[in-house]
Amino acid sequence: MAAPDLLWQCVKNQSCFIRKQKNFPVMTAEPGNLCGLNNFQFSGLASKKVLGLDSKKVGKKESIVLTTRSKRESRQYRPGVVLVTTGIKKGKKQGPEQLKKIIGATWNRPELLEMALKKYKKIKTSFKKNKTVKK
Amino acid sequence: MATARPVVSIYNFENPSEKTGTMPMPVVLQSPLRPDLVREVHRDMAKNKRQAYAVKPKAGYDTAAASWCTGRAVARIPRAPGGGTHRAGQAAFGNQARGGGMFNPTTVWRRWHRRVNVTKKRHAVACALAASALPPLVMARGHKINQVAELPLVVSDGIQSLTKTKQAKETLKKLGCGEELQKVIDSKSIRAGQGKARNRRYVKRLGPLVIYNEDNGITRAMRNIPGVECAHVDRLNLLRLAPGGSFGRFVIFTEGAFKKLSDIYGTLKSGAPKKKGYTLPRAAMANADLARIINSTEVQSVLRPKMERYTHGIKRNALKSKELMEELNPGSTERRAVHLKSSQKGTPEYDEVQKKKKARIEESKKYNKEHKKGDETFYKTLMKAFEAKAAADAAKKAAEKAEDEEDEE
């Protein structure tokens, strides 16, 4: 696989995922981008270690999904399988625990752990809103 | 990429979930990524299919107009001659006149086409091929490849013999291109702009590019599938590999074509057997992974330890801040305390100071008693000096007076 820096240079201005707005930082819709910002740090396309946390709705079921990049060499060229999704528990304690385990303990972007926890909280509150509206 | 060449699986065209074999990746597909080069070459190559457009050479000048010159209360612009029609006496020629020619008429002899150096074109194609082998770049270009088993996608040669479009479509769907094909179909829309009235009514996205070695029906099978294009390995076109100048087209190779890439382009050492005098481009940096370079033992072992960054707090003035003064000049607070106390009666410091003062005065008195007596008192020494000076002055005056008297005589 090409070097992350090189890929970033190719992709930072020229990507179908980039979304631009006036007076707003440049954002991306690519999978595996934690903040959705078009940054080398957060890039889901360019880096070897990728971290994404999203909500997923399948029918009525809402789930929180963590996206990481497989480390196996053989998987790097397989677009369908290279990004690994893990469901995150919705329990108040269990969810953050799980995140800490996956991100922090296995050195998979530990610097993003805080941000991931924050996003987790936000996703959870977004689920709550839906429930009250249902009434 | 100094590592060993990755191995690419070949998928059975009839049953794409199974693999019929493997092949090492051709060196072309590991060419350095040069989006700038691809963009540049594409820009120039794209100009080569242009058709000239221009206004008629005589446009606006097909009248016998002449200026009426001065004296007739009209502007001096050339006017159409004759009479009997509205046209007579109307302004002609000139871009400002109605029915006149345009400013700087477009000409057929505009330089429509661009030459691009052959090596540059070849490098660009190599680069575009390399980009098509990297999932992030293909994704970034907008292709939906999540269902695709592997990039580069190589299919067994049987696909070249497909004759029916239905079969071809089935095969592509089984290979994981269903999402991509659907994207193309969904994207068909009427072109914005005049093109729609000029036989270019619809626009749609581009789908996969199928690169084959032997056409046993594949082009005809694939040509009616929206978005799918076919290309022969020997005749790869940058305008197809990097549409719009952006590399990372989703490419499907047939087994024969994939193999032929090595035959055409060769390796960095051997040069390209089928392209005379051409060798694949070399990367400016063999290892472009900056993070790895910086964190490598070779670099880390030679670094000096990280400097302690001195962060300045708010600047403090030592003369105002007693704490800072104490830091810089240890003992200053003590000294100050002593100094204060020494002016307070009753403290031992005060007594110290007074004692010293007394001693000093005693010393002085003693000295004066010894040395400054009789003729050595201040007053006496002063007067002595004065009298001495007075006597000297008087003597001088007398001498001058004597001289004057002599002169007069």
Side-chain angles (χ1 to χ4, degrees):
Chain A
M1 277 291 286
D5 298 282
L6 182 54
L7 277 177
W8 173 242
Q9 290 297 326
C10 294
V11 155
K12 68 178 180 182
N13 281 331
Q14 204 181 16
S15 153
C16 74
F17 299 109
I18 292 176
R19 309 272 183 264
K20 285 192 179 174
Q21 282 174 322
K22 287 239 170 96
N23 303 321
F24 206 70
V26 182
M27 308 205 83
T28 14
E30 72 217 6
N33 191 325
L34 186 64
C35 296
L37 287 173
N38 195 31
N39 259 342
F40 178 51
Q41 263 199 318
F42 300 114
S43 173
L45 292 171
S47 47
K48 279 190 184 152
K49 287 188 182 171
V50 143
L51 192 72
L53 192 64
D54 299 292
S55 63
K56 188 169 151 187
K57 195 165 182 194
V58 180
K60 277 195 176 175
K61 186 175 174 193
E62 292 162 331
S63 46
I64 305 175
V65 161
L66 180 77
T67 318
T68 50
R69 201 186 178 94
S70 168
K71 285 196 186 143
R72 286 196 226 165
E73 267 295 318
S74 64
R75 289 209 174 176
Q76 298 301 322
Y77 288 93
R78 297 167 59 189
V81 194
V82 71
L83 289 180
V84 177
T85 51
T86 333
I88 300 291
K89 300 203 171 104
K90 285 189 263 183
K92 202 171 174 183
K93 257 194 187 174
Q94 295 158 322
E97 284 283 310
Q98 208 183 357
L99 281 176
K100 279 181 200 160
K101 210 179 175 193
I102 299 175
I103 301 172
T106 58
W107 298 106
N108 191 3
R109 309 297 298 278
E111 74 271 16
L112 295 183
L113 177 60
E114 262 192 68
M115 222 175 283
L117 289 171
K118 268 191 212 164
K119 191 168 183 189
Y120 173 83
K121 260 192 201 160
K122 289 205 173 176
I123 295 174
K124 277 201 70 194
T125 50
S126 77
F127 289 165
K128 253 193 222 166
K129 220 198 245 179
N130 289 343
K131 282 188 183 163
T132 53
V133 169
K134 258 188 191 176
K135 276 191 196 168
Chain B
M1 287 271 289
T3 49
R5 287 196 269 145
V7 151
V8 181
S9 314
I10 303 166
Y11 292 85
N12 186 356
F13 87 101
E14 279 170 328
N15 186 9
S17 47
E18 63 174 54
K19 306 179 194 171
T20 59
T22 56
M23 219 192 289
M25 203 190 268
V27 185
V28 213
L29 298 186
Q30 293 173 342
S31 301
L33 299 175
R34 293 261 270 124
D36 59 317
L37 179 67
V38 171
R39 213 174 295 136
E40 194 190 319
V41 174
H42 175 91
R43 175 171 42 97
D44 289 341
M45 276 180 79
K47 292 181 182 168
N48 291 340
K49 207 184 166 199
R50 285 151 109 193
Q51 291 184 339
Y53 62 86
V55 289
K56 287 201 298 218
K58 287 212 98 190
Y61 290 87
D62 212 351
T63 40
S67 168
W68 286 358
C69 298
T70 49
R72 297 179 66 175
V74 288
R76 291 178 280 169
I77 193 173
R79 294 173 184 280
T85 53
H86 283 295
R87 182 63 177 151
Q90 280 182 342
F93 303 164
N95 54 324
Q96 71 269 45
R98 179 175 177 279
M102 62 181 277
F103 162 72
N104 198 10
T106 47
T107 52
V108 232
W109 60 85
R110 179 198 299 224
R111 193 166 69 103
W112 300 101
H113 309 100
R114 294 289 182 275
R115 254 194 83 253
V116 189
N117 298 339
V118 175
T119 314
K120 235 184 188 174
K121 284 194 273 194
R122 287 171 174 169
H123 280 348
V125 169
C127 178
L129 281 171
S132 71
L134 291 174
L137 292 179
V138 180
M139 277 177 78
R141 208 188 156 272
H143 294 286
K144 307 281 182 224
I145 49 169
N146 285 320
Q147 308 288 335
V148 175
E150 187 177 339
L151 274 194
L153 187 57
V154 185
V155 190
S156 60
D157 275 337
I159 200 176
Q160 288 170 164
S161 312
L162 282 179
T163 47
K164 302 295 269 175
T165 306
K166 196 171 187 175
Q167 287 175 352
K169 214 170 172 185
E170 283 297 310
T171 317
L172 286 178
K173 282 206 179 128
K174 280 197 218 156
L175 285 166
C177 307
E179 218 184 325
E180 177 76 353
L181 294 178
Q182 191 57 45
K183 161 197 117 181
V184 174
I185 295 170
D186 292 338
S187 68
K188 183 175 179 190
S189 62
I190 297 180
R191 184 185 293 264
Q194 281 291 359
K196 65 165 100 53
R198 296 179 179 174
N199 305 327
R200 285 170 251 136
R201 192 156 182 87
Y202 294 102
V203 272
K204 56 181 188 284
R205 301 290 84 77
L206 288 177
L209 175 68
V210 181
I211 300 183
Y212 61 89
N213 186 23
E214 249 187 69
D215 183 9
N216 291 327
I218 186 176
T219 30
R220 271 183 262 190
M222 297 276 188
R223 72 184 174 190
N224 205 26
I225 308 174
V228 180
E229 287 173 337
C230 290
H232 193 286
V233 215
D234 288 343
R235 302 181 282 275
L236 289 173
N237 186 357
L238 183 72
L239 302 175
R240 295 279 139 258
L241 282 172
S246 48
F247 59 14
R249 177 98 191 252
F250 176 29
V251 170
I252 302 173
F253 291 96
T254 62
E255 190 181 342
F258 204 64
K259 216 179 272 169
K260 215 170 184 197
L261 281 179
S262 316
D263 297 336
I264 299 172
Y265 287 99
T267 62
L268 286 173
K269 266 195 195 163
S270 71
K274 295 280 174 68
K275 298 189 189 285
K276 190 168 148 196
Y278 174 68
T279 320
L280 286 168
R282 253 167 254 272
M285 274 179 90
N287 178 17
D289 197 339
L290 292 179
R292 275 195 81 188
I293 294 172
I294 292 170
N295 290 325
S296 67
T297 37
E298 290 95 325
V299 171
Q300 291 291 321
S301 62
V302 206
L303 295 177
R304 59 160 164 69
K306 190 172 180 180
M307 278 203 287
E308 273 296 306
R309 269 228 226 140
Y310 177 63
T311 45
H312 293 263
I314 299 174
K315 169 137 201 284
R316 297 180 292 165
N317 185 356
L319 297 173
K320 291 189 188 172
S321 158
K322 290 182 192 123
E323 284 169 16
L324 184 58
M325 187 51 125
E326 179 64 29
E327 252 181 77
L328 294 171
N329 186 9
S332 56
T333 21
E334 216 185 291
R335 194 201 293 171
R336 199 186 289 122
V338 165
H339 187 77
L340 276 176
K341 275 208 177 151
S342 65
S343 53
Q344 291 168 7
K345 279 194 185 166
T347 54
E349 288 84 358
Y350 180 79
D351 297 335
E352 233 348 275
V353 170
Q354 295 306 320
K355 207 199 301 175
K356 283 198 183 148
K357 187 176 178 186
K358 249 195 201 151
R360 212 185 326 128
I361 294 173
E362 288 294 322
E363 268 294 316
S364 165
K365 281 193 182 153
K366 203 166 110 194
Y367 180 85
N368 289 345
K369 243 189 191 148
E370 267 190 55
H371 300 280
K372 307 218 170 145
K373 282 179 147 178
D375 276 347
E376 295 210 342
T377 63
F378 176 72
Y379 180 72
K380 290 261 168 70
T381 39
L382 180 74
M383 290 316 292
K384 209 193 282 176
F386 175 71
E387 274 157 17
K389 184 127 198 316
D393 284 340
K396 211 184 185 186
K397 254 196 178 160
E400 279 175 15
K401 212 178 177 188
E403 269 186 42
D404 291 339
E405 281 176 10
E406 271 186 31
D407 289 338
E408 275 178 31
E409 282 176 15

